Structure formats: structure tokens, C-alpha cells
Amino acid sequence: MRLHCEVEVVSRRLPALGLRSRGRAVRAVLSLCQREPRGGPPRAGLLVATLRDKRGTRYELKENIEQFFTKFVDEGRATVRLKEPPVDIYLSKANSSSLKGFLSAVRLAHRGCKVETSLSTLTPVKTSEFEKFKTKMVITSKKDYPLSKNFPYSLEHLQTSYCGLVRVDMRMLCLKNLRKLDLSHNHIKKLPATVGDLIHLQELNLNDNHLESFSVALCQSTLQKSLRSLDLSKNKIKALPVQFCQLRELTDLKLDDNELIRFPFKIGQLTNLRFLSAARNKLPFLPSEFKNLSLEYLDLFGNTFEQPEVLPVIMLQTPLTLLESSARTILYNRIPYSSHIIPFHLCRDLDTAKTCVCGRFCLSCFIQGTSTMNLHSVAHTVVLVDNMGGTEAPVISYFCSLACYVNSCDMLK
Ligand SMILES: [Zn+2]
């Protein structure tokens, strides 16, 4: 039984000697092995072989494990603490299911049980075994695309462009170490929600595909914590869900050449965003939260920006309807809601409530005003919005009451 992963063996005596470990994990092949001492029963051991030390270092297993640390086993990490020698063996970047299987075999060996799987012999590990540790793979034509062979699980950077893919290959979604996934120039129509299980994914490139949406499930996945760069240019996306603004780590967002008719109106929540391009879409105006962005680069060239209306659209009602009044209260007091508690369509209404300049919310009772903003107020470098040399764009704002509208009339001028 073998396990491919990264290993760092740290002696617990180091701190007592005033030393610290180097903190560097190396690629290794771990095997369970068996030795038969003369006249004694066979003894199971753990063999850690690295590229430098192919014969490996052997550790006794029977009744020699002080503790297992398996909290992060689903992420392919675990630690085995041995009694003698007093070392901690840190395992990382392993395939989580292989790791689980390996650890239970190690546990059995510790208890002195017979390990069912055949124990590896003490032959040195071949150099070819270490080639499975590839971290980068670039495929740019259909003929190079692996059909029968799996992708090496250790991949951190995978590019498969011009491969004619119509969907995301499920085998890619098992690559838990992926940081960069480039699926540009394919024919992908839909992203599976399981893309959100790639917990380390920082860069996702989907340039030039057939995507029509970016799902709410993806916006609410672990991508919230990891995703920094997203390229959705040259697709067929009409709108992004309001939850998109929960991808707070985003710094680079490319939306050029889509069919966007609006930005998610909470876009101002993307406080880390530095690079935003949405050229050649169908944006008629920007949401007022756009003013909260702080960008280095902004490109909104070639959109169908409309001239701001002179007169505001007034949708006020007095007294407020029961729905409007309760929705405002729920949102203002941040009372949690979900489709388990209230009907789905009410959740959707609450999710898309408009924010007034005063910070309160409104559903269907509001004043809508348009103004223009100079894009230089939110970005250092601004690509001109049209061939006329303009850097101004229309912004739509909502007001929850007449008072709020009157107070901000100056802003609208
Ligand atoms: Zn207000």
C-alpha cells in the first residue's frame, strides 16, 4: 500500500534544543512495509521515501503511535505522531480518499492487527513514481487531452484550452490542490456547483466559452475565501446574481464581451477589487454602489449607456404596504431569513432590495434618480467609455423617502 504526498518529518526534540524545523515539505512516497526479524514475528513499519532518499527511512508502527491528527483529512492533510523516535510526520497534498485508506491501515498496524492489503516490500522507490507529483499541466489542443489517463492529483495549475470541452471534466474536480484552472476557448455552457469544492482555487479562467450564468451556489461556495481572479469574458452572460458580491477576495474580474444588462447592485462590497473590465456589454447605467469601489483599472468601453433622466421616477406610497414595511424592518435589523422560513419569492425580493443613500432599504416603494459620475473617482486608470473621449457614466440611485431624495438632490445635479 502506497501513498503519494508531501511529507515533513519534524523532531519534537528540536524546540528543547533551541532549534526550529526548516518547515519544508518534500514530495514522498509512503509505504507500509513488513520486516521479519530473525526468530520474531513480522513487524509492520512505515517507510518514507523521497527523491533524495529512495531507499527511505523506516519507522516502527506497532504500538508506536502517540496520536493521529486528522481534522484536515478531507483537504489531504494529516499528522502522525510517533512515540519513538519522537517525531511528527506531517502529510499534505495527498488525495483525501487515499489518505484515509492509508491512515486506517497505519492504525491497524499500530494495534498489531494484520493489515489486509499487501504490504510493500523493501525495494527502493523508482524515480518514475515521483513524476506523479507534477504540479503544472498545459494542454492546448484536443489531441493532447487525456481520455484514458487521470490527471495527476498533485496538479496546482491546469490549463485545457481549445479542447472543445462542452462541460467541466469531473476528473478535474477531484484535483483538490488546484490553484489555477484555465478552461478558456472551449464550449462550456454550465459550471457544476462542485467547482466550488476546489478549496484552494485562486484563479479561474473561462474566457471564450458559452456560459449563460454564474450560479448562486458557486457564489456561496468556498470560492468566497479563495478566488482572486475570474475571467468570464467572451461568454453569453446577461446578469450576475446578487450573491456574486460575496466573492470578497476577488481582485481581478473580466466580463468583457458578454450581454450584461446590469452589474450586481451590491458591487461596492467587492472591496478588494482592483481590476475590472466589462467592455462591450449592454449596460445602460451603473448601480449607485459602484461609487464605493476603489480600483486601479476600469474598462467600460462600448456599453449602451443611457442619458440620465432629468426627472426622477417616483414610486412612493403612503401608508407603506405591509410587505414593504416588514421587508424594510427585516433588512434594517438584519434579521436572518431563508427559504426554509419564508417563501422563496420573498427571499428573492429581500435579496434584491434597493439600498437608499441613508443606508435603509426599500422593495417597491422608492424614488429612482439618475445622475452621472466621473469614473476617475473610482479608478486610477480609466479606459474611455466611448469614442468621444468620455469618462462619465450614468448611475442609478434609489431613495426610500421624499426626505432622503430632497436631502441628496445636490448629489444628483
Ligand atoms: Zn433613505
Side-chain angles (χ1 to χ4, degrees):
M1 188 173 216
R2 284 191 163 167
L3 177 74
H4 294 84
C5 61
E6 290 202 350
V7 168
E8 187 187 356
V9 180
V10 178
S11 167
R12 294 199 300 281
R13 287 205 187 109
L14 284 179
L17 298 169
L19 296 170
R20 286 180 59 194
S21 75
R22 287 182 309 142
R24 206 193 286 160
V26 291
R27 290 159 190 184
V29 177
L30 267 66
S31 21
L32 277 181
C33 58
Q34 191 133 270
R35 194 169 56 171
E36 293 188 21
R38 214 171 293 157
R43 298 182 70 90
L46 176 68
L47 193 71
V48 180
T50 60
L51 201 53
R52 272 195 172 174
D53 174 20
K54 292 198 198 79
R55 296 203 76 85
T57 309
R58 188 181 184 282
Y59 298 96
E60 201 64 47
L61 281 183
K62 194 173 174 203
E63 287 162 26
N64 193 32
I65 293 175
E66 196 169 302
Q67 210 172 341
F68 283 103
F69 299 90
T70 53
K71 192 175 169 191
F72 298 106
V73 75
D74 284 322
E75 294 173 22
R77 288 191 282 152
T79 300
V80 180
R81 173 167 287 177
L82 296 182
K83 290 179 187 161
E84 199 53 48
V87 291
D88 288 352
I89 304 175
Y90 296 104
L91 313 175
S92 59
K93 297 190 180 178
N95 174 313
S96 66
S97 54
S98 318
L99 179 62
K100 282 178 198 165
F102 193 81
L103 287 177
S104 40
V106 169
R107 195 163 288 165
L108 288 175
H110 159 67
R111 291 196 198 129
C113 303
K114 210 169 154 246
V115 182
E116 288 296 328
T117 47
S118 64
L119 294 173
S120 313
T121 48
L122 281 168
T123 48
V125 176
K126 288 192 201 104
T127 312
S128 63
E129 287 243 19
F130 290 94
E131 281 165 10
K132 290 179 187 166
F133 289 111
K134 236 176 148 177
T135 57
K136 185 175 173 179
M137 186 181 254
V138 176
I139 301 164
T140 50
S141 80
K142 220 170 176 174
K143 66 173 176 21
D144 298 330
Y145 194 80
L147 290 173
S148 50
K149 243 170 78 180
N150 269 336
F151 295 103
Y153 76 89
S154 54
L155 282 184
E156 292 176 11
H157 178 180
L158 175 62
Q159 178 180 352
T160 53
S161 301
Y162 302 100
C163 293
L165 300 178
V166 289
R167 59 179 71 87
V168 180
D169 191 330
M170 284 302 157
R171 293 174 300 165
M172 293 176 186
L173 303 173
C174 303
L175 304 171
K176 299 292 180 201
N177 297 312
L178 272 191
R179 285 167 200 280
K180 257 183 179 184
L181 179 58
D182 184 341
L183 298 167
S184 56
H185 310 288
N186 284 295
H187 309 306
I188 298 168
K189 270 194 153 172
K190 222 179 155 192
L191 292 175
T194 37
V195 169
D197 295 340
L198 298 170
I199 54 169
H200 296 297
L201 196 65
Q202 293 178 352
E203 287 180 38
L204 180 57
N205 187 347
L206 294 156
N207 175 25
D208 192 16
N209 276 284
H210 298 331
L211 293 173
E212 288 172 7
S213 61
F214 193 85
S215 74
V216 172
L218 280 179
C219 299
Q220 295 179 328
S221 67
T222 59
L223 293 181
Q224 282 183 2
K225 284 184 185 155
S226 64
L227 196 65
R228 306 246 165 90
S229 169
L230 177 61
D231 189 343
L232 293 170
S233 15
K234 288 195 187 168
N235 279 283
K236 294 174 179 166
I237 299 171
K238 290 192 171 69
L240 293 168
V242 61
Q243 292 85 353
F244 187 84
C245 305
Q246 294 172 9
L247 296 168
R248 300 279 172 92
E249 296 302 316
L250 273 183
T251 59
D252 289 50
L253 177 59
K254 288 184 190 155
L255 299 164
D256 308 294
D257 301 291
N258 275 284
E259 293 162 21
L260 283 180
I261 49 164
R262 60 169 182 266
F263 272 129
F265 63 90
K266 289 182 180 172
I267 194 163
Q269 292 178 354
L270 295 175
T271 48
N272 289 310
L273 200 62
R274 294 293 171 264
F275 183 105
L276 172 63
S277 61
R280 295 169 299 278
N281 277 281
K282 295 174 180 169
L283 298 169
F285 37 69
L286 304 175
S288 60
E289 274 227 18
F290 201 85
K291 291 177 180 169
N292 298 342
L293 291 174
S294 165
L295 305 168
E296 279 166 27
Y297 179 92
L298 174 63
D299 183 355
L300 296 175
F301 179 81
N303 275 286
T304 47
F305 287 133
E306 288 173 5
Q307 280 297 320
E309 299 280 338
V310 180
L311 292 174
V313 180
I314 300 175
M315 306 267 285
L316 288 178
Q317 270 173 297
T318 32
L320 293 179
T321 61
L322 187 56
L323 172 66
E324 180 75 25
S325 178
S326 44
R328 288 183 177 202
T329 309
I330 286 173
L331 291 165
Y332 188 68
N333 294 301
R334 294 169 189 259
I335 298 170
Y337 59 86
S338 76
S339 53
H340 305 294
I341 314 170
I342 54 171
F344 172 77
H345 67 93
L346 288 180
C347 290
R348 196 188 48 206
D349 290 349
L350 290 168
D351 282 344
T352 54
K354 297 157 176 71
T355 316
C356 175
V357 285
C358 71
R360 289 172 188 266
F361 302 87
C362 32
L363 281 198
S364 52
C365 175
F366 55 79
I367 299 180
Q368 176 188 312
T370 42
S371 57
T372 50
M373 73 178 282
N374 192 325
L375 298 175
H376 275 297
S377 63
V378 291
H380 200 257
T381 307
V382 178
V383 175
L384 304 178
V385 292
D386 52 34
N387 290 323
M388 311 294 284
T391 57
E392 302 227 315
V395 177
I396 198 155
S397 311
Y398 295 96
F399 306 93
C400 69
S401 64
L402 196 59
C404 283
Y405 176 71
V406 171
N407 286 338
S408 30
C409 255
D410 289 342
M411 186 194 88
L412 284 173
K413 274 173 195 158

